[in-house]
Amino acid sequence: MNIALLTDTWHPFTNGVITHIEVLAEGLRSLGHQVLILASDPHTKHHYVDHEGVLHCPGFTLKRIYGYGIAFPFSFERLKILKAFNPDVIHIHNEFGMGTFGMLASRKLKLPMVYTLHTAYDDYLHYLAPKIFMPITKALSHGYVRFLANYASITTGPSEKAAAYLKATKVTSPFYYIPNSVDLQRFDTNNLEPGTRQKIRHKYNIPDDHLTAIFVGRLGKEKSVETLLDLWKSSIQPNAPFCLMVVGDGPERDTLEQFATDAGIAHQIIFTGKIPYENMPQYYATADVFVSASLTEMMSISLLEAQAMGLPVLQRLDQQSRNQVIDHVNGFVYSNAAEFEAHLKAFGQLSSLEWHDWQTRCRNHVARQGAEDLANHLLELYRQACGTK
């Protein structure tokens, strides 16, 4: 099949949508299918296809939303390039410029469109409008998602949260649960150079006997990193052999660093800033446990990456994502500071054999969530969608 994947976010940014598309494209190509990725690029004035098969589409920058770009909703040149690719299906991964273009191109070329919801936008509307305009902004957001999703032949999402969001927006097109996936080859401890863990720990002055927790993600309000730091303050004694690496950058970084200082835990918290994605396996390998307090994730890809690297997870209770972490299998779910403290301290007392058992269970838990697994899930839906046109 020839498959067009459309997105409004692309490199040099790093986020779950980009990673999902890269893993999907890798899986589709490995199975012999042709893929064209169409991505917004506010830094170009002309459409062009790069050496990785990505069509860069001119657009404009959204300074309020991390500087992401949005492509212009329609372009005859873009349509011409897409038509020459001769796609069998159009798969949109964002709702804005490229999502609109995907729908218009689907109509013009008489092709089926598949729509994946990656984000519950209610948690992100504060970037778009002041609080006083939140109700109307929410209504407009729901209306636009409903418009796109109801046009699509099929909608997908990685969790119950996606299904609930689409139901709340009154979407009627068929929905299929497709879990996110992870690049199992990239995130494999066997591919790291010997001494990687010690090298990174030495860089950040982490003692060998300190249990290291890691959070990976954008430092925005919706990620609840301040909640995580508050849990740490309540749970971990100032002289305890524990530290937390916060990997990522974002608008809340200065606020979070000040919070850590004011809370008296700055000596236990390491803010690494943004780390190149190709170096992320080294940072997961440095840590022992992945931790998160976010309640806005559909299905965290960093959570999957951590497990692929053998890290158990401590995840704050989120009823609609509860099945992503299974107690005693790939980590624990906590609902308060006491549970967070008990689990983290229990990890700090594990023997080498017990750590090995945890690492094996975590890797096995995501072993069937690789690139080809994701591709096969979606190929079945692409064929089904093609039967509707």
Side-chain angles (χ1 to χ4, degrees):
M1 298 183 77
N2 289 354
I3 300 139
L5 306 176
L6 282 65
T7 174
D8 268 312
T9 60
W10 199 248
H11 299 297
F13 301 103
T14 300
N15 61 31
V17 176
I18 295 170
T19 302
H20 177 93
I21 292 171
E22 287 186 311
V23 172
L24 174 57
E26 176 191 344
L28 291 169
R29 287 166 176 155
S30 70
L31 294 172
H33 301 276
Q34 303 300 312
V35 176
L36 177 65
I37 298 171
L38 292 81
S40 298
D41 184 349
H43 304 297
T44 185
K45 295 182 179 179
H46 306 285
H47 288 81
Y48 71 94
V49 179
D50 67 20
H51 66 284
E52 295 181 334
V54 178
L55 173 61
H56 292 253
C57 305
F60 54 93
T61 300
L62 291 175
K63 292 183 179 180
R64 287 176 60 88
I65 309 181
Y66 309 122
Y68 288 160
I70 287 186
F72 298 113
F74 190 76
S75 162
F76 285 107
E77 182 180 0
R78 190 185 314 156
L79 184 65
K80 181 180 178 181
I81 296 171
L82 178 62
K83 185 177 181 180
F85 175 65
N86 192 28
D88 296 292
V89 63
I90 291 173
H91 186 172
I92 65 170
H93 293 266
N94 289 113
E95 296 72 15
F96 308 109
M98 295 306 295
T100 302
F101 173 77
M103 183 197 67
L104 295 173
S106 168
R107 283 181 172 174
K108 185 72 175 177
L109 302 178
K110 295 182 172 56
L111 295 171
M113 187 182 86
V114 174
Y115 168 36
T116 293
L117 178 73
H118 290 281
T119 306
Y121 286 101
D122 292 357
D123 299 312
Y124 295 78
L125 295 179
H126 59 275
Y127 290 110
L128 299 176
K131 189 173 182 179
I132 191 173
F133 296 120
M134 206 61 67
I136 190 170
T137 304
K138 182 176 179 179
L140 290 171
S141 171
H142 281 203
Y144 189 61
V145 167
R146 179 169 62 249
F147 174 66
L148 279 180
N150 281 341
Y151 173 79
S153 301
I154 286 171
T155 60
T156 80
S159 67
E160 294 177 14
K161 187 174 292 186
Y165 184 84
L166 291 170
K167 183 177 180 180
T169 58
K170 300 179 181 179
V171 170
T172 57
S173 62
F175 174 82
Y176 292 86
Y177 163 69
I178 304 292
N180 280 335
S181 295
V182 59
D183 186 336
L184 295 172
Q185 184 174 3
R186 179 191 295 270
F187 294 95
D188 183 343
T189 54
N190 294 319
N191 294 331
L192 294 177
E193 294 182 4
T196 294
R197 176 181 169 92
Q198 290 73 21
K199 180 180 177 181
I200 302 296
R201 289 174 79 93
H202 178 73
K203 175 181 178 180
Y204 293 102
N205 298 314
I206 303 173
D208 292 339
D209 65 341
H210 276 41
L211 181 138
T212 303
I214 189 171
F215 167 84
V216 178
R218 185 175 55 250
L219 303 188
K221 289 182 179 180
E222 68 280 357
K223 299 298 183 180
S224 299
V225 180
E226 186 169 320
T227 299
L228 183 61
L229 296 179
D230 197 41
L231 285 165
W232 191 274
K233 173 189 174 183
S234 303
S235 305
I236 307 302
Q237 294 297 318
N239 60 347
F242 293 82
C243 68
L244 169 63
M245 296 185 77
V246 178
V247 180
D249 209 342
E252 294 298 301
R253 181 176 174 179
D254 290 344
T255 300
L256 294 169
E257 290 186 348
Q258 188 62 50
F259 180 93
T261 298
D262 295 343
I265 59 174
H267 64 290
Q268 294 176 316
I269 313 299
I270 299 166
F271 290 91
T272 68
K274 183 178 180 180
I275 299 299
Y277 189 63
E278 59 269 22
N279 294 342
M280 279 309 305
Q282 302 172 26
Y283 281 75
Y284 287 119
T286 301
D288 303 294
V289 182
F290 181 89
V291 294
S292 176
S294 175
L295 300 179
T296 63
E297 310 290 345
M298 290 286 190
M299 175 181 266
S300 168
I301 289 181
S302 57
L303 180 148
L304 300 176
E305 293 169 349
Q307 291 173 74
M309 295 291 294
L311 272 62
V313 175
L314 286 184
Q315 173 66 54
R316 185 179 171 197
L317 176 63
D318 181 351
Q319 291 292 353
Q320 292 180 327
S321 300
R322 191 182 184 99
N323 64 345
Q324 295 174 18
V325 177
I326 302 172
D327 285 354
H328 301 283
V329 175
N330 62 329
F332 293 97
V333 173
Y334 66 89
S335 57
N336 53 52
E339 292 177 359
F340 180 83
E341 176 183 10
H343 292 315
L344 197 60
K345 290 184 175 179
F347 280 123
Q349 297 172 359
L350 295 180
S351 67
S352 296
L353 181 60
E354 289 170 324
W355 269 117
H356 181 267
D357 288 343
W358 268 106
Q359 291 163 356
T360 300
R361 288 201 300 274
C362 290
R363 293 184 185 113
N364 289 341
H365 192 74
V366 296
R368 296 303 303 273
Q369 288 180 251
E372 290 192 4
D373 299 295
L374 177 61
N376 279 318
H377 283 311
L378 281 161
L379 282 167
E380 183 178 342
L381 296 184
Y382 292 156
R383 296 183 181 110
Q384 182 177 327
C386 287
T388 67
K389 289 290 182 178

